[in-house]
Amino acid sequence: MGTTGSKKGAYTQEEARPFHDKLRVLRARVVGDTTHLAEGALNQSRGESSGDLSKMPIHMADIGSDAYEQEFSLDLLAAEQATLTEIDSALARIEAGEYGACVNCGKRIKKTRLHAIPFTPICIDCATERDQESRG
């Protein structure tokens, strides 16, 4: 893994190791999910999935259902890709010796939060503040 904790509030490489391992496993799962979603959304229509090779839908509602399912899959794919970006950023922070330090205030992110969301770049206080600002 790279250098030792160089940023105030960051975990040392040894402290970050369990999170590094967790992030690698999570990354592999998300990559698999995105591959599956992409294949499903872009390559297969209702007819192909049921074995019907005819491109003509039986009913107009089928067209709407197919479009909805494809749009839903593409939305899920976008969310998974955003998560993948966050995971990669967290892995980069580990390598840089900055993992565990809130990118907003620099305080140490509690391990309980990192166990729940290992790719989070911000502490609970900054997350709460951000959520309150977005609501009001």
Side-chain angles (χ1 to χ4, degrees):
M1 280 190 274
T3 62
T4 37
S6 61
K7 186 173 184 178
K8 184 181 177 187
Y11 288 98
T12 65
Q13 292 294 316
E14 193 58 37
E15 291 172 313
R17 187 173 315 281
F19 298 106
H20 180 271
D21 297 342
K22 191 174 193 173
L23 285 162
R24 286 283 179 200
V25 169
L26 185 59
R27 186 181 194 288
R29 184 196 59 81
V30 172
V31 167
D33 289 351
T34 56
T35 301
H36 178 72
L37 283 169
E39 289 172 356
L42 302 175
N43 295 332
Q44 194 172 42
S45 71
R46 172 189 304 274
E48 292 167 336
S49 66
S50 67
D52 181 11
L53 298 179
S54 169
K55 296 295 183 192
M56 192 59 126
I58 296 170
H59 192 276
M60 287 298 291
D62 289 339
I63 294 172
S65 294
D66 287 346
Y68 173 80
E69 287 175 17
Q70 185 177 30
E71 183 176 345
F72 184 74
S73 293
L74 290 172
D75 287 346
L76 286 175
L77 179 61
E80 291 287 278
Q81 288 175 328
T83 300
L84 188 58
T85 299
E86 291 180 34
I87 291 169
D88 287 340
S89 294
L91 289 167
R93 287 192 304 277
I94 290 173
E95 292 298 322
E98 299 173 352
Y99 182 77
C102 178
V103 297
N104 287 347
C105 68
K107 292 180 185 173
R108 183 171 270 207
I109 301 170
K110 293 182 180 180
K111 285 186 178 182
T112 52
R113 178 165 171 76
L114 291 173
H115 281 295
I117 312 169
F119 48 84
T120 188
I122 58 175
C123 68
I124 192 69
D125 293 335
C126 289
T128 301
E129 185 178 312
R130 181 190 64 197
D131 289 347
Q132 288 173 347
E133 288 174 1
S134 68
R135 289 184 190 156

